[in-house]
Amino acid sequence: MATILIADDSPTALAMLKRELAPLGHEIREARDGDEVQSALDEVTPDLLILDIIMPKVNGFQLCRAIRADPSRRSLPIIVVTAMERQSDRYWGLKQGADEFFVKPVDGDVLRDKVRSLLASR
């Protein structure tokens, strides 16, 4: 069983993502802002991070950069799930270190397939 950390400031988005990932049977933790993500990463190293971009305190782009700059966390798979839908947003998210970039609402089957793929490659 893997540990997945979901970071999103929207309770609705958190509930939807948890519901979509529940069938995979992994432990799901949640964070509601960038500071909570950093605290959660200090507590436990998740096997995968699902990250919103627009969050209070520290945004998802900043978190991606910080994670990729930390040698102990550099290989953590990151999936961005955000409302930011421009091609330049996707480009920037992947440039910051995300492994995948999805626009909300994300198709549950596509998300689960990507989660399975990234966890299998670890």
Side-chain angles (χ1 to χ4, degrees):
M1 177 172 69
T3 300
I4 299 171
L5 175 60
I6 302 173
D8 200 306
D9 61 324
S10 164
T12 303
L14 276 172
M16 183 278 300
L17 290 166
K18 286 172 64 175
R19 184 180 64 247
E20 293 295 345
L21 296 175
L24 298 178
H26 300 299
E27 177 185 358
I28 298 175
R29 294 175 163 242
E30 56 187 67
R32 298 189 192 295
D33 63 46
D35 286 349
E36 285 187 20
V37 172
Q38 291 173 325
S39 294
L41 290 173
D42 290 338
E43 284 180 28
V44 64
T45 301
D47 298 291
L48 183 117
L49 173 61
I50 296 178
L51 183 61
D52 187 20
I53 295 299
I54 305 168
M55 292 188 297
K57 301 180 183 175
V58 181
N59 71 45
F61 290 141
Q62 294 166 316
L63 286 166
C64 256
R65 276 194 308 271
I67 289 166
R68 293 300 182 234
D70 181 344
S72 68
R73 295 186 177 130
R74 186 171 290 145
S75 65
L76 174 64
I78 300 172
I79 298 173
V80 168
V81 178
T82 183
M84 298 174 70
E85 60 186 42
R86 295 181 316 212
Q87 187 62 30
S88 61
D89 298 325
R90 177 180 173 72
Y91 171 81
W92 192 245
L94 296 172
K95 183 87 169 154
Q96 300 312 300
D99 295 288
E100 185 60 78
F101 188 102
F102 293 122
V103 176
K104 295 175 184 175
V106 61
D107 179 273
D109 291 330
V110 172
L111 178 63
R112 285 187 295 275
D113 286 346
K114 182 48 81 171
V115 166
R116 283 187 201 102
S117 171
L118 288 171
L119 289 175
S121 67
R122 281 204 79 177

